[in-house]
Amino acid sequence: MSVRIGIIGPGGIGRSHIARITDKLARGRVVAVTDIDPAHAQRVADPIGATVYADDAALIEAEDVDAVIVTSFGPAHEGSVVRAIEAGKPVFCEKPLAPTAAECLRIMAAEQRGGRRLVQVGFMRRYDAGYRELKAVLDSGDVGEALMVHNRHRNPSSPENYLEGMSITDTAIHEIDVMRFLLGEEIVSARVDKPKRTTNRFPHLSDPLVLVLRTTSDVLIDVEIFVNNTYGYDIGCEVVAERGAVALGDQNAIVRTGTAGRSNRIAADYNERFEAAFNTELQEWINSVQAGEIVGPSSWDGYAAAVVCDAGVRSLRADGSQEFAVELIEKPAFYA
Ligand code: NAD
Ligand code: ISE
C-alpha cells in the first residue's frame, strides 16, 4: 500500500516534491495539503485530488495521513515538526530543520519523549552521486587525510524575503551538513568574511560572503556564498588532501567544444542540479516510512548544522571578521 502523505507549505520546493512523488517515485501519494495561503493550497491540491486542510494541526491529525512533509518557511518548521512528532507520524522536514539551535533542541526533546525516530531532514546533498563519490575516495584513504576544502555555492538571484542571515541558515547550511558527512567530523568554529558587495542585491543583504569553518582535526573549510550571481546555480567542492585533490565534476553536464571555445551548461536552479539526489532522498524516505524505521539525516544532524549556523550568524552580525566557537551538546544515545 502507498504511504499517504500530507504536505505543509507547498511553495517552490514543495511543489517539486509533489511532482516527483506523483510522477516519478513509487509507493507514495500526496493526499493532503495546507498552506497559510488557502487559495494557493487549493490550486496545488486540485490537480492531484488532495484534500485541503485549514492548518498544519488539522492536516497532521487527519486519519488518512500516514506521514508529513514540511516545506514551509524555515521559522515555521518547529511548530509543524513537533506537532507531527506528538501525533506519532513520520515527518520529512526540508532544511533547515529550524533556523536556530534552540528550536532544533526543542524538536529533539519532543522526538526523544516520543521514544522513536520520526524526523528526517532534507539534506539532499548526501544523496548526490558526486558527493557520494568524493566521500568514497576520502574513505578509501587513497589521497590521505583531508586538509582543506574549498566550496562554491552560487544562486542566480534571491527573493526579497531572503533576509540577512539566510545566506548562512538557508544556503551555506547545505555545505555545513555535507562537510560533516564527507569528513565525518564536527565543526568547532565559524567566521564570516564580508567582501565588496554586488550591486545586484537587495539593500538589506550582504552578498557575497565567505564562511570559514574549522573541524575538530583542524581541516579548514571555506564556503563562498553568492546568492545573486545573475548567471545560474553553480555549486563547487574541492577537497585538498595529503596526496591529491578531489573535486565535484562541474554541473554533471556535457562539455561542448567548437569554434566558439569550450563550454558546459550551467544549471538554472536546485531542481536541475540536484534532481537525481532529491528523487533518491524522497524514495528512500518513503521506503523507510513503509519499513517503520527512519534512517536518513536526523534531528541531531539538523541541530549540529544549526549550531554552526548560530556561530556564523553571530560572526556576520559582528564587526570585522570575528571567529565564534561552535559548542554542541553531548550527542544523545538516542541518535547514536
Ligand atoms: P517558498 O516561499 O516558495 O514556499 C514556502 C511555502 O510555505 C509558501 O507557499 C508559503 O505560503 C508557505 N508557508 C509559509 N509559512 C507557512 C506556515 N506557517 N504554514 C503553512 N504554510 C506556510 O519557499 P521554498 O523556496 O519552497 O522553501 C521552503 C523550504 O524549503 C525552506 O526551508 C527552504 O530552505 C527549503 N528549500 C530547500 C531546497 C533544497 O535544495 N533542499 C531548495 C529550496 C528550498
Ligand atoms: C534554498 O532554500 C536551497 O536550499 C537551495 O538549494 C540553495 O541554493 C538556496 O540558496 C536556498 O535559499
Side-chain angles (χ1 to χ4, degrees), residues 78 82 85 100-113 303:
E78 179 195 350
V82 169
I85 292 170
T100 63
E103 293 160 280
C104 295
L105 282 171
R106 292 194 288 267
I107 290 172
M108 283 166 56
E111 195 176 30
Q112 290 173 82
R113 272 197 305 278
Y303 159 77

Side-chain angles (χ1 to χ4, degrees), residues 187-191 212-214 306-315 322-328:
I187 291 160
V188 297
S189 70
R191 182 188 93 217
V212 181
L213 308 169
R214 252 176 219 284
V307 186
V308 181
C309 290
D310 282 357
V313 170
R314 282 180 76 192
S315 182
Q322 292 181 42
E323 183 173 278
F324 287 88
V326 171
E327 278 157 24
L328 291 170

Side-chain angles (χ1 to χ4, degrees), residues 95 124-125 153 155 162 170-171 174 227 233 270:
K95 43 63 58 181
M124 83 298 185
R125 291 196 186 183
H153 191 151
N155 294 169
Y162 183 100
D170 208 61
T171 298
H174 282 295
V227 294
Y233 193 86
Y270 55 81

Side-chain angles (χ1 to χ4, degrees), residues 111-124:
E111 195 176 30
Q112 290 173 82
R113 272 197 305 278
R116 67 188 170 114
R117 263 204 65 190
L118 286 172
V119 179
Q120 176 167 331
V121 183
F123 286 134
M124 83 298 185

Side-chain angles (χ1 to χ4, degrees), residues 40-274:
H40 171 71
Q42 197 66 55
R43 279 192 298 275
V44 172
D46 283 346
I48 53 169
T51 305
V52 173
Y53 288 88
D55 56 27
D56 60 349
L59 176 141
I60 289 165
E61 290 303 329
E63 278 200 3
D64 69 343
V65 169
D66 303 316
V68 175
I69 295 182
V70 178
T71 58
S72 58
F73 183 51
H77 289 181
E78 179 195 350
S80 299
V81 172
V82 169
R83 273 179 206 105
I85 292 170
E86 287 174 348
K89 298 196 177 175
V91 51
F92 175 97
C93 180
E94 258 309 331
K95 43 63 58 181
L97 176 57
T100 63
E103 293 160 280
C104 295
L105 282 171
R106 292 194 288 267
I107 290 172
M108 283 166 56
E111 195 176 30
Q112 290 173 82
R113 272 197 305 278
R116 67 188 170 114
R117 263 204 65 190
L118 286 172
V119 179
Q120 176 167 331
V121 183
F123 286 134
M124 83 298 185
R125 291 196 186 183
R126 295 178 179 226
Y127 299 85
D128 176 70
Y131 280 109
R132 284 185 168 190
E133 206 176 327
L134 252 175
K135 181 166 173 56
V137 172
L138 293 177
D139 289 351
S140 74
D142 284 357
V143 292
E145 295 284 312
L147 307 173
M148 295 179 284
V149 192
H150 308 299
N151 294 279
R152 175 175 82 241
H153 191 151
R154 298 185 193 150
N155 294 169
S157 62
S158 56
E160 190 161 13
N161 65 358
Y162 183 100
L163 305 172
E164 184 84 328
M166 287 175 72
S167 297
I168 312 294
T169 62
D170 208 61
T171 298
I173 194 167
H174 282 295
E175 277 77 15
I176 291 168
D177 177 68
V178 88
M179 290 301 102
R180 295 180 61 249
F181 167 73
L182 274 186
L183 302 171
E185 293 182 32
E186 294 301 349
I187 291 160
V188 297
S189 70
R191 182 188 93 217
V192 171
D193 292 345
K194 300 149 205 159
K196 179 172 175 172
R197 295 176 182 203
T198 172
T199 53
N200 298 309
R201 67 178 215 291
F202 293 105
H204 64 260
L205 204 62
S206 302
D207 188 41
L209 295 175
V210 179
L211 174 67
V212 181
L213 308 169
R214 252 176 219 284
T215 69
T216 40
S217 80
D218 228 14
V219 179
L220 189 72
I221 299 164
D222 56 87
V223 188
E224 175 205 305
I225 311 147
F226 187 12
V227 294
N228 290 283
N229 74 12
T230 76
Y231 72 82
Y233 193 86
D234 191 356
I235 302 300
C237 175
E238 182 188 35
V239 182
V240 182
E242 292 170 302
R243 294 187 299 278
V246 205
L248 284 184
D250 195 16
Q251 307 293 319
N252 294 340
I254 57 161
V255 176
R256 182 170 171 161
T257 306
T259 49
R262 184 167 292 150
S263 64
N264 63 286
R265 231 189 86 71
I266 303 291
D269 54 26
Y270 55 81
N271 282 319
E272 188 180 346
R273 173 62 182 81
F274 288 111

